[in-house]
Amino acid sequence: MAGLSSEILPEDGTAGTLVGRAWRKGPKAGPSVVAVRSDGVFDITESAATVADLCNAADPVALARSSGERIGSLEEVIPALLAPIDLQAIKAAGVTFAVSLLERLIEEHAKGDPARAETVRGELNTIIGADVTTIKPGSAEAEALKKTLMARGAWSPYLEVGIGPYAEIFTKAPAMAAVGYGAEIGIRSDSDWNNPEPEVTLVVNAKGAIVGATLGNDVNLRDMEGRSALLLGIAKDNNASCSIGPFVRLFDETFSLDDVRKAKVELEVTGPDQFRLRGSSDLSKISRDPTDLVKHAMGNTHQYPDGMVLMTGTLFAPTESRKPGGLGFTHMVGDLVSIRSPKLGTLTNKVNHCDKIPPWTFGVSALMRNLAARGLLR
């Protein structure tokens, strides 16, 4: 179990300010806000009833370092870990990397058919005729390319958000719906083309300030979204289709926004068929700065009084065939998905069908009743 504790933590262990949530049993049964320290895991719910409260505090780091009640070692608490957020809105940005932009175009032009993906990939490279990695979204150069592609009938909603003035921001899941480290993540049984999307996830307070970061898996059903952009809800928001964790690392003397900007994210998928997929994502290659994405998500036109988390998008788009003569990558039930970043640790989940995973039943009202019964609401 000590190996598991070492794996889940960032490379510098507990040097940073790490907060999360765990389900306690006994007289204090329910979700508790916890701080992970070198000498164990501490329940700090008496100081911050929710992670949203902690992130909205004047000094989240000081609050996270308040004494609290030790509930065990990290090894003992790992099985009880939940997603490290609660009342925050769960948002996601799409098409923020050139590679993911091309893959979305492929999904759209292939109409969700994986058999046509390679043919469409070659056609699009010829049609676009430009290196979209060098184009700044919303720039004069982007507008010129838009006019050229529109004249050729090749403009797309994905290009609109990929290089246009407005970012794609969507709701990934309702508040409280995300699963955490070790939980099953869900794909629909009627999806034949799907994949993980490993992403750095920003933790933002009600004032729009980024106070920390964590990891997220923006599980995607490529066939559903490829059929129509209007099926985004079905492609993205299903039971257990969003995992976040393992912990929120707050900005302090060991971790800053610049660390987020240069974060590298590694993905490994190990299947029951002995298939292994590896990939990586580098946030330094993102087309919009994290602060710009936050401005597109909230501000004078859209507020989140409990704050939000924002998945920043992924550079990773798997195209490797799973079987000889196959049609590219797609998940199998039983896949083990591990997402790791040096400063954020490891988020690991196992894939199952959404309707085989226990349904989501503990929402905001249940949390409020639980906190009230424990005398934690003031």
Side-chain angles (χ1 to χ4, degrees), residues 293-315:
L293 290 175
V294 170
K295 289 175 182 177
H296 281 272
M298 66 185 295
N300 292 335
T301 59
H302 210 321
Q303 297 81 40
Y304 295 99
D306 293 306
M308 69 169 184
V309 293
L310 178 61
M311 295 184 174
T312 54
T314 184
L315 177 66

Side-chain angles (χ1 to χ4, degrees), residues 95-247:
V95 201
T96 54
F97 291 87
V99 170
S100 62
L101 167 58
L102 292 174
E103 290 303 314
R104 291 294 178 267
L105 290 171
I106 289 164
E107 291 166 12
E108 180 185 42
H109 285 260
K111 304 300 182 186
D113 180 2
R116 293 197 61 231
E118 284 304 318
T119 300
V120 171
R121 185 173 285 108
E123 292 172 352
L124 285 173
N125 285 333
T126 300
I127 291 172
I128 293 175
D131 183 2
V132 292
T133 65
T134 65
I135 297 175
K136 182 179 180 180
S139 66
E141 183 183 11
E143 184 63 24
L145 177 60
K146 174 178 181 178
K147 291 178 180 178
T148 299
L149 294 176
M150 288 184 70
R152 300 183 65 175
W155 191 245
S156 157
Y158 293 110
L159 283 164
E160 181 67 52
V161 296
I163 63 175
Y166 300 108
E168 178 191 14
I169 305 291
F170 60 92
T171 297
K172 170 62 182 177
M176 298 286 294
V179 299
Y181 179 93
E184 289 184 311
I185 49 172
I187 55 171
R188 290 173 59 113
S189 58
D190 55 354
S191 170
D192 298 318
W193 189 18
N194 46 69
N195 63 264
E197 292 193 354
E199 306 184 16
V200 172
T201 302
L202 307 174
V203 180
V204 187
N205 68 17
K207 295 181 179 179
I210 306 171
V211 297
T214 184
L215 293 171
N217 188 348
D218 180 14
V219 181
N220 185 42
L221 310 183
R222 300 189 68 180
D223 47 1
M224 298 295 182
E225 187 176 0
R227 289 172 194 161
S228 170
L230 298 180
L231 293 176
L232 183 66
I234 291 178
K236 292 288 189 178
D237 184 8
N238 299 289
N239 182 39
S241 64
C242 173
S243 65
I244 293 175
F247 312 110

